[in-house]
Amino acid sequence: MASTRDKDEAEHQRGYWRWSKQDFLPEESFQSWNNYVSALSQTRLRFKDRLLARSDDATETEELKKQSEHDMKRCLNWWDLIWFGFGAVIGAGIFVLTGQEAHDHAGPAIVLSYVASGFSAMLSVFCYTEFAVEVPSAGGSFAYMRVELGDFVAFITAGNILLESVIGSAAVARSWTSYFTSLLNRPKDSLRIKTSLKEGYNLLDPIASVVLVIASVITIISTRKTSVLNWLASAINTAVIIFVIVAGFLHADTSNLTPFLPYGAKGVFQAAAIIYFAYGGFDHIATMAEETKNPSRDIPIGLVGSMSMITVIYCLMALSLSMMQKYTEIDTGAAFSVAFQNVGMRWAKYVVAFGALKGMTTVLLVGRLAQARYITHIARCHMIPPWFALVHSKTGTPINATLLITIASATIAFFTGLKVLSSLISVSTLFVFMMISVALLVRRYYVRGVTPRENLLKLVIFLVLIIASSIGISAYWGLRPNGWFGYSVTVPIWFMATLGMSLFLTQQRVPRVWGVPLVPWLPSLSIATNVFLMGSLEYEAFIRFGVCTVVMLIYYLLFGLHATYDMAHQQEKLPSKVEHTQTVKNEVS
């Protein structure tokens, strides 16, 4: 017994910087070539096992934390989370994509695009908030998927979370360079290196990569210090936003709002799908649950409070830009700076550029913080090597996970243009948010060992009808935006499926502290709006999304499937070992 205890203590006291095979491939399947070949031969059986396997609240919030060896420090309250919400969300989306989408797709109706995407985002916020309170884990949406929809769906979600994190950070970093160029009063793209590569990848951006590295170093040092720095930067950014809104309305020309819908309603929703990226950072707050002092109180205030204010701010900023400048003349790179220059406030463009830089800097700071926590929890489940789950004993931060996300983001930011990045990130973001709404309905209406099989079958049928009808609405909009016959079929199906869930199913779980109101209507509407916005994107975005998903599936079949299978079976053996030890002790005594 003593030797076992000494071994456990030595294991716990190992240094942080280590590179053994046990830290990267500890599972049985990877200990030898024969084991790996055997695991591949059993892939179908393992896939079926993991597809049906589901985690539980206690595992996600307590047991998996042991994989990190040290706990993250609980140092945040609702005030921190509100400012993290501002810091995570207000950045490249409003300052860059507003001009791009007003010019290319929506015209002055860009304000309606922000209303539509804000409405969809708020529905997702409600779903996220309930999960974050009930399952306060650093894994965020990945943890929620594991609990309600199983390992396989969680992996696909995790892959899109990682894709969203890497590409989103790269997009913000590229925007940082654009506004830094404007602040220096230099020509567009003058700080980037021109090459003969394919368009969209031919402007190399070393500044974007450096900014990402600096933000990562700050977040590695301390979560609390990052929060204080975020307060200061967000306060400056808020002052700039107030200036932009007030000055914009003072120089407004209502004639610039005509025509209000130059590209029609289709353009409004196409723009809404792209600028949804501007709302995407709110899910970062959910990953701070392990470092929040009182998650059940602080997370709802932080999430709902910050997103309500941000939606209003976005709409006012979009309206002020549209009234300052004709949509055909809006600069797609630094819209607000150029708009103020054109109305005679040349000095104001430096204020806007400085505020935009501050906003994008906080987005990168909070993004580094949150994305590393996603990586940490995914590694705790061994879907990626557990080395990335380690938390440093002194800093209380996941340094290895931060390094992984930083290297990937910095590499993509170095090569890839903003337009390519923004369309892809919107698909991943909308997909994840749609799946969160599905998971919430499953959580409310299905509890293992309690819900009758008949009710489970009804739930599956209703969910399939809700998703299918939402896809049908989106598809018909894309094919015949001015038609009506398709809607007369798809909308009633969505309505009746949601009504059927409300009337013929009993909620099996009631939230302990905070829950989404009007279930199943709000989650069902969230599914429909997210699917609709996904359908408004151009097909190239889905091609990239499909390619990335195929790569994820290949990785899952070759690595993640076997790693999670082995880990689950190791955990199943633990209780029997404990029982055996207790039996031996009883016999000795």
Side-chain angles (χ1 to χ4, degrees):
M1 291 296 294
S3 61
T4 303
R5 184 168 59 250
D6 293 341
K7 183 178 179 181
D8 291 340
E9 290 177 357
E11 186 78 9
H12 185 71
Q13 293 173 1
R14 286 188 299 166
Y16 187 82
W17 302 109
R18 54 190 197 245
W19 310 91
S20 69
K21 184 178 180 180
Q22 187 67 18
D23 295 308
F24 288 88
L25 297 171
E27 298 81 16
E28 294 178 11
S29 296
F30 305 107
Q31 294 307 306
S32 69
W33 175 252
N34 289 336
N35 284 359
Y36 182 66
V37 172
S38 176
L40 287 178
S41 68
Q42 301 176 37
T43 292
R44 190 173 73 173
L45 294 176
R46 292 189 170 201
F47 179 75
K48 182 179 179 181
D49 180 81
R50 301 318 300 156
L51 180 63
L52 299 175
R54 297 169 67 195
S55 182
D56 55 60
D57 294 7
T59 299
E60 296 302 313
T61 56
E62 297 299 332
E63 290 301 316
L64 288 179
K65 286 168 59 176
K66 298 174 184 177
Q67 296 285 323
S68 296
E69 297 186 2
H70 298 95
D71 290 340
M72 300 181 196
K73 298 177 181 178
R74 290 193 178 274
C75 56
L76 305 176
N77 55 31
W78 63 268
W79 178 256
D80 297 295
L81 296 182
I82 284 180
W83 282 109
F84 269 135
F86 273 87
V89 176
I90 299 180
I94 186 63
F95 284 110
V96 178
L97 293 182
T98 304
Q100 174 182 302
E101 294 308 305
H103 183 277
D104 296 343
H105 294 123
I110 187 67
V111 64
L112 297 183
S113 300
Y114 271 108
V115 170
S117 55
F119 175 73
S120 180
M122 189 57 70
L123 293 175
S124 298
V125 164
F126 281 123
C127 297
Y128 258 93
T129 303
E130 179 172 329
F131 269 119
V133 170
E134 297 282 305
V135 191
S137 164
S141 49
F142 170 69
Y144 314 151
M145 293 293 142
R146 265 175 54 87
V147 170
E148 301 304 332
L149 300 179
D151 268 9
F152 177 67
V153 175
F155 175 80
I156 298 300
T157 305
N160 280 281
I161 290 168
L162 295 181
L163 182 65
E164 173 191 346
S165 301
V166 171
I167 294 177
S169 297
V172 174
R174 296 282 297 202
S175 300
W176 200 99
T177 303
S178 296
Y179 265 88
F180 185 60
T181 304
S182 177
L183 186 63
L184 297 179
N185 201 26
R186 296 190 55 159
K188 183 180 179 181
D189 295 327
S190 62
L191 297 180
R192 297 188 174 109
I193 303 170
K194 295 179 177 62
T195 67
S196 58
L197 296 174
K198 181 182 177 181
E199 185 178 355
Y201 306 90
N202 59 333
L203 294 173
L204 307 185
D205 197 334
I207 294 177
S209 299
V210 171
V211 169
L212 281 167
V213 171
I214 293 174
S216 298
V217 171
I218 294 171
T219 59
I220 283 173
I221 294 173
S222 166
T223 299
R224 184 61 193 168
K225 291 177 181 177
T226 303
S227 177
V228 173
L229 183 60
N230 177 65
W231 290 356
L232 298 175
S234 296
I236 295 173
N237 195 31
T238 302
V240 172
I241 288 170
I242 293 173
F243 165 79
V244 168
I245 294 172
V246 173
F249 280 112
L250 289 176
H251 291 83
D253 183 353
T254 54
S255 65
N256 288 329
L257 296 177
T258 305
F260 188 68
L261 288 164
Y263 302 101
K266 184 175 182 179
V268 170
F269 288 108
Q270 191 171 1
I274 296 292
I275 63 175
Y276 199 91
F277 167 63
Y279 289 98
F282 74 79
D283 58 324
H284 292 343
I285 299 176
T287 67
M288 305 295 176
E290 284 186 24
E291 293 157 280
T292 302
K293 296 176 182 177
N294 187 353
S296 61
R297 180 199 65 187
D298 297 339
I299 291 178
I301 296 174
L303 264 171
V304 178
S306 61
M307 283 303 296
S308 299
M309 292 183 281
I310 287 167
T311 301
V312 174
I313 288 172
Y314 276 3
C315 292
L316 291 175
M317 289 185 70
L319 186 60
S320 69
L321 177 65
S322 298
M323 290 198 295
M324 267 198 298
Q325 197 169 17
K326 195 75 173 177
Y327 75 94
T328 54
E329 299 170 359
I330 292 176
D331 185 270
T332 57
F336 287 94
S337 294
V338 174
F340 277 115
Q341 184 176 345
N342 290 341
V343 296
M345 298 178 65
R346 296 183 61 88
W347 58 271
K349 81 169 190 174
Y350 299 107
V351 176
V352 175
F354 180 72
L357 283 177
K358 284 288 185 182
M360 285 180 275
T361 301
T362 60
V363 168
L364 292 176
L365 277 174
V366 180
R368 299 298 84 193
L369 209 64
Q371 292 153 14
R373 279 128 190 91
Y374 272 130
I375 294 285
T376 299
H377 200 77
I378 293 168
R380 287 171 176 172
C381 304
H382 290 206
M383 284 191 178
I384 60 176
W387 186 76
F388 295 106
L390 299 177
V391 172
H392 198 278
S393 58
K394 292 183 178 179
T395 64
T397 58
I399 297 177
N400 296 341
T402 306
L403 292 176
L404 174 64
I405 202 76
T406 300
I407 292 171
S409 298
T411 302
I412 293 178
F414 187 72
F415 289 100
T416 313
L418 179 64
K419 193 167 185 178
V420 174
L421 294 171
S422 61
S423 61
L424 180 56
I425 188 65
S426 292
V427 177
S428 297
T429 303
L430 290 165
F431 174 76
V432 172
F433 292 170
M434 183 269 289
M435 292 302 297
I436 285 291
S437 301
V438 172
L440 183 74
L441 289 174
V442 173
R443 183 174 182 83
R444 287 292 192 95
Y445 288 99
Y446 174 69
V447 175
R448 279 172 291 182
V450 176
T451 305
R453 185 177 181 83
E454 179 184 354
N455 284 5
L456 174 59
L457 181 60
K458 290 179 183 178
L459 174 62
V460 171
I461 292 173
F462 288 139
L463 280 173
V464 169
L465 288 174
I466 288 171
I467 295 172
S469 60
S470 299
I471 294 173
I473 293 169
S474 180
Y476 191 74
W477 169 263
L479 295 172
R480 299 190 63 181
N482 298 320
W484 61 271
F485 178 75
Y487 302 130
S488 67
V489 176
T490 54
V491 173
I493 291 176
W494 173 86
F495 180 83
M496 294 304 295
T498 308
L499 181 63
M501 188 177 291
S502 177
L503 295 178
F504 299 111
L505 290 177
T506 302
Q507 292 190 35
Q508 301 290 312
R509 193 194 310 261
V510 177
R512 295 186 297 271
V513 180
W514 195 96
V516 177
L518 299 177
V519 173
W521 294 100
L522 285 188
S524 179
L525 187 58
S526 178
I527 293 171
T529 54
N530 282 310
V531 170
F532 183 82
L533 291 176
M534 284 178 69
S536 299
L537 292 167
E538 297 176 353
Y539 74 92
E540 290 91 344
F542 288 93
I543 293 175
R544 299 186 192 106
F545 176 75
V547 170
C548 292
T549 301
V550 169
V551 172
M552 294 172 200
L553 289 173
I554 293 173
Y555 171 85
Y556 180 69
L557 292 174
L558 295 179
F559 180 86
L561 172 62
H562 311 299
T564 54
Y565 181 91
D566 288 348
M567 183 185 179
H569 281 265
Q570 288 170 10
Q571 289 178 330
E572 287 173 2
K573 295 175 184 177
L574 289 179
S576 61
K577 288 182 178 179
V578 173
E579 292 171 5
H580 175 71
T581 302
Q582 187 64 40
T583 302
V584 171
K585 287 174 67 178
N586 292 338
E587 290 176 355
V588 172
S589 60

